[in-house]
């Protein structure tokens, strides 16, 4: 169903359905946004066409393909299968300047595409949604300046909109890597964006993180692995320091995108909230996605977790399987949800809203820490979570580096019209609460199209499958 048709059939606010029976559902999750947009960038940086299978088709990936097309890259959809896209880079490896890129609210577009202007033949202007103007950009742009680019701001310094002008010369010219220092405390995407482009810098790049915290390190490791698969040579000699050797990049002729494991979080969490079992096929035993940490977290909440029928436990952490094994992950809810006390989510902050929804319905308090950087995501997710948890009658408090959640009895919870803040994960958070709390309605639920093309359809279909 396309976006236009969805807009006609999905109410705003959308009444979140209540689970009336334990679930017995199998949910197929679309491809990973993080991997999809990294593969699109790496394909554009190569010299030969790349066929990407299983590409997520959502607003963020469509924005990424639109951005690449503005830079002279061809992105051709398979007429029979829209999730298969062939990417053909410019023949001479030079991107089209004197163009404009619209980023929407996509962090991967606004942080991964500007470094490509280093290899363009003219300046490129970047703009986005109004909400995107609040998202930090200065660390990435400071890194580009160190590589010789010029940046002109058209609004507040360090934010969209801005224009990047490529340097006249790249590299040091003396055989030594260019030294770049950035503070990536507010987003790992600053490091990933620079790493993705760095292989094409003559003499290479030595990148240092100067901040005191480094969030979402698994996302940076994902970037490193993807670059190395494309023929690059990126190492991390120590935490917060990366050495990128100059290399010609080229993904294999065909690559396949894994399911988005973070987008699986609301569906798998539903098994804990509604009871019953939810299965997700094609779960990779080896992954660089932060969502790969979900089985361990759900197990701590009290779920029974299996991979192709074999029991999961915290010691094995799904590593008992061969790296090339993909199976069906099954999560079965228990009689109650255990509060977790303190949980460090610094490695997987993007699943914090889903974890917060489960914690709100647990039997004891939970503190989610290591996620102060979520204040700079699509919205200030910490403030938003506290506001929406309290809106339905539970208690929450914003901490310096996270949030504290204190559940209440189910009969003290009540329905409400919940805000999504133009944030897809806040919308799915609200839908999870709606499984148990009658009367929840969600404003702008279609913001979920950012990463899940038909969330409401998938959610309704999951609830239709019950014991």
């Amino acid at each position: 169903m396309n976006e236009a048709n969805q807009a006609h059939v999905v109410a705003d606010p959308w009444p979140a359905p209540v689970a009336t029976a334990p679930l017995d559902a199998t949910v197929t999750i679309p491809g990973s946004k993080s991997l999809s947009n990294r593969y699109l960038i790496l394909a554009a940086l190569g010299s030969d066409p790349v066929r990407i299978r299983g590409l997520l088709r959502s607003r963020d990936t469509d924005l990424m393909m639109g951005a690449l097309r503005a830079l002279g890259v061809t992105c051709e959809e398979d007429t029979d299968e829209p999730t298969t896209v062939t990417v053909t880079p410019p023949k001479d490896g030079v991107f089209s300047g004197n163009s404009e890129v619209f980023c929407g609210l996509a962090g991967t577009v606004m942080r991964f595409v500007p470094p490509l202007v280093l290899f363009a033949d003219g300046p490129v202007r970047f703009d986005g949604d109004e909400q995107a103007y609040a998202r930090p950009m200065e660390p990435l742009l400071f890194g580009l300046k160190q590589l010789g680019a010029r940046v002109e701001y058209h609004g507040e310094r360090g934010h969209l909109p801005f224009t990047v002008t490529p340097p006249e010369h790249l590299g040091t010219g003396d055989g030594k890597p260019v030294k770049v220092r950035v503070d990536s405390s507010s987003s790992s995407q600053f490091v990933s964006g620079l790493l993705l482009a760095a292989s094409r810098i003559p003499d290479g790049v030595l990148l240092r993180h100067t901040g005191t915290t480094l969030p979402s390190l698994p996302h940076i490791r994902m970037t490193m692995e993807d670059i190395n698969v494309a023929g690059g040579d990126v190492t991390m000699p120590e935490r917060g320091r990366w050495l990128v050797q100059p290399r010609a990049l080229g993904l294999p002729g065909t690559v396949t995108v894994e399911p988005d494991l973070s987008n699986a979080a609301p569906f798998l969490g539903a098994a804990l909230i509604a009871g019953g079992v939810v299965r997700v096929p094609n779960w990779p035993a080896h992954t660089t996605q932060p969502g790969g940490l979900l089985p361990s977290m759900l197990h701590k909440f009290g779920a029974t977790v299996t991979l192709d029928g074999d029991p999961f436990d915290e010691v094995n952490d799904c590593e008992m399987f061969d790296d090339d094994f993909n199976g069906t992950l099954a999560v079965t809810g228990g009689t109650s949800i255990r509060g977790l006390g303190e949980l460090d989510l610094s490695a997987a902050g993007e699943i914090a809203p889903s974890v917060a929804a489960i914690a709100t319905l647990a039997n004891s308090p939970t503190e989610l820490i290591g996620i102060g950087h979520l204040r700079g995501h699509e919205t200030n997710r910490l403030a938003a979570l506290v506001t929406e948890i309290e809106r339905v009658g539970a208690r929450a408090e914003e901490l310096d580096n996270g949030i504290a959640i204190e559940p209440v009895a189910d009969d003290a919870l009540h329905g409400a019209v919940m805000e999504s803040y133009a944030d897809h994960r806040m919308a799915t958070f609200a839908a999870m609460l709606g499984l148990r709390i009658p009367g929840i309605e969600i404003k702008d639920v279609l913001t979920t199209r950012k990463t899940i093309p038909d969330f409401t359809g998938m959610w309704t279909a999951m609830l239709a499958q019950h014991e």
Side-chain angles (χ1 to χ4, degrees):
M1 181 179 293
N2 62 36
E3 292 185 8
N5 288 338
Q6 279 189 348
H8 289 301
V9 300
V10 177
D12 187 14
W14 180 65
V18 177
T20 58
L23 303 175
D24 187 3
T26 298
V27 181
T28 300
I29 303 297
S32 162
K33 179 199 71 173
S34 297
L35 287 171
S36 291
N37 278 351
R38 281 165 173 79
Y39 288 160
L40 286 168
I41 288 284
L42 288 168
L45 284 165
S47 56
D48 298 314
V50 176
R51 186 168 180 256
I52 304 176
R53 298 174 55 200
L55 187 82
L56 174 67
R57 297 310 308 271
S58 69
R59 188 181 189 225
D60 273 23
T61 52
D62 287 347
L63 285 165
M64 179 63 83
M65 288 191 284
L68 295 178
R69 287 174 178 133
L71 297 181
V73 178
T74 300
C75 299
E76 184 178 1
E77 303 172 17
D78 188 302
T79 54
D80 296 324
E81 180 47 73
T83 61
T84 297
V85 175
T86 300
V87 180
T88 304
K91 288 184 178 180
D92 56 4
V94 178
F95 296 109
S96 300
N98 301 301
S99 55
E100 182 164 343
V101 167
F102 183 73
C103 304
L105 192 54
T108 49
V109 178
M110 66 182 73
R111 276 80 178 259
F112 292 179
V113 178
L116 300 188
V117 183
L118 294 170
F119 318 112
D121 57 11
V124 178
R125 179 186 168 99
F126 291 83
D127 206 341
D129 292 352
E130 183 178 352
Q131 297 96 323
Y133 291 4
R135 302 194 71 177
M137 289 293 304
E138 179 63 24
L140 175 78
L141 300 176
F142 180 57
L144 295 182
K145 291 176 185 177
Q146 293 172 69
L147 291 166
R150 289 188 290 112
V151 178
E152 178 187 0
Y153 295 107
H154 307 300
E156 183 181 351
R157 181 179 179 84
H159 297 269
L160 287 166
F162 54 78
T163 294
V164 178
T165 300
E168 294 183 6
H169 303 287
L170 281 169
T172 60
D174 59 6
K176 297 180 180 179
V178 182
K179 294 181 179 179
V180 178
R181 299 169 65 87
V182 299
D183 183 350
S184 201
S185 300
S186 58
S187 176
S188 65
Q189 290 175 348
F190 302 139
V191 167
S192 286
L194 292 167
L195 291 179
L196 285 165
S199 297
R200 284 187 57 177
I201 304 293
D203 306 319
V205 172
L206 179 62
L207 176 62
R208 290 182 181 272
H209 164 61
T210 60
T212 56
T213 62
L214 183 60
S216 303
L217 186 58
H219 271 129
I220 297 176
R221 294 189 185 279
M222 174 192 294
T223 301
M224 295 173 61
E225 180 169 304
D226 294 341
I227 293 169
N228 290 339
V229 166
D233 184 349
V234 183
T235 56
M236 186 169 62
E238 60 187 76
R239 185 182 176 91
R241 180 172 171 264
W242 298 268
L243 179 62
V244 185
Q245 302 291 349
R247 295 287 188 274
L249 296 179
L251 282 171
T254 299
V255 293
T256 301
V257 180
E258 295 176 1
D260 194 312
L261 307 188
S262 294
N263 280 344
F267 298 94
L268 294 173
L272 277 158
I273 295 171
V277 58
V278 175
R279 308 170 196 85
V280 172
N282 304 314
W283 191 276
H286 167 73
T287 182
T288 55
Q289 293 187 61
L293 300 172
L294 265 172
S296 174
M297 295 178 192
L298 299 177
H299 181 72
K300 291 175 182 176
F301 272 121
T304 299
V305 186
T306 62
L307 188 60
D308 266 13
D310 290 313
F312 166 89
D313 60 56
E314 295 173 277
V315 176
N316 288 322
D317 203 19
C318 286
E319 291 180 357
M320 74 284 279
F321 300 103
D322 296 333
D323 284 354
D324 60 356
F325 177 88
N326 290 339
T328 296
L329 188 81
V331 174
T332 304
T335 56
S336 64
I337 300 172
R338 294 194 296 258
L340 300 186
E342 186 176 273
L343 178 65
D344 187 345
L345 277 177
S346 58
E350 64 184 35
I351 61 175
S354 294
V355 175
I358 299 169
T360 300
L361 300 170
N363 58 16
S364 60
T366 298
E367 288 190 4
L368 306 179
I369 63 170
I371 52 174
H373 60 287
L374 297 191
R375 292 184 174 94
H377 277 218
E378 283 82 343
T379 187
N380 180 338
R381 281 185 180 160
L382 300 188
L385 285 168
V386 170
T387 298
E388 299 308 310
I389 289 170
E390 292 184 337
R391 194 187 298 278
V392 298
R395 292 189 286 269
E397 178 186 359
E398 191 171 341
L399 309 173
D400 287 344
N401 200 26
I403 60 171
I405 300 170
E406 187 175 347
V408 297
D410 277 7
D411 59 9
L413 298 170
H414 54 77
V417 177
M418 302 188 71
E419 300 283 348
S420 65
Y421 304 88
D423 185 335
H424 58 131
R425 301 209 190 275
M426 289 303 302
T428 57
F429 156 85
M432 293 174 73
L433 294 184
L435 292 171
R436 188 178 296 184
I437 306 173
I440 282 183
E441 297 179 277
I442 307 169
K443 290 185 179 179
D444 189 22
V445 73
L446 290 183
T447 193
T448 52
R449 294 179 310 202
K450 177 181 174 71
T451 55
I452 306 178
D454 183 23
F455 170 75
T456 57
M458 292 175 63
W459 197 250
T460 303
M462 174 187 71
L463 288 170
Q465 305 174 62
H466 50 76
E467 295 178 355

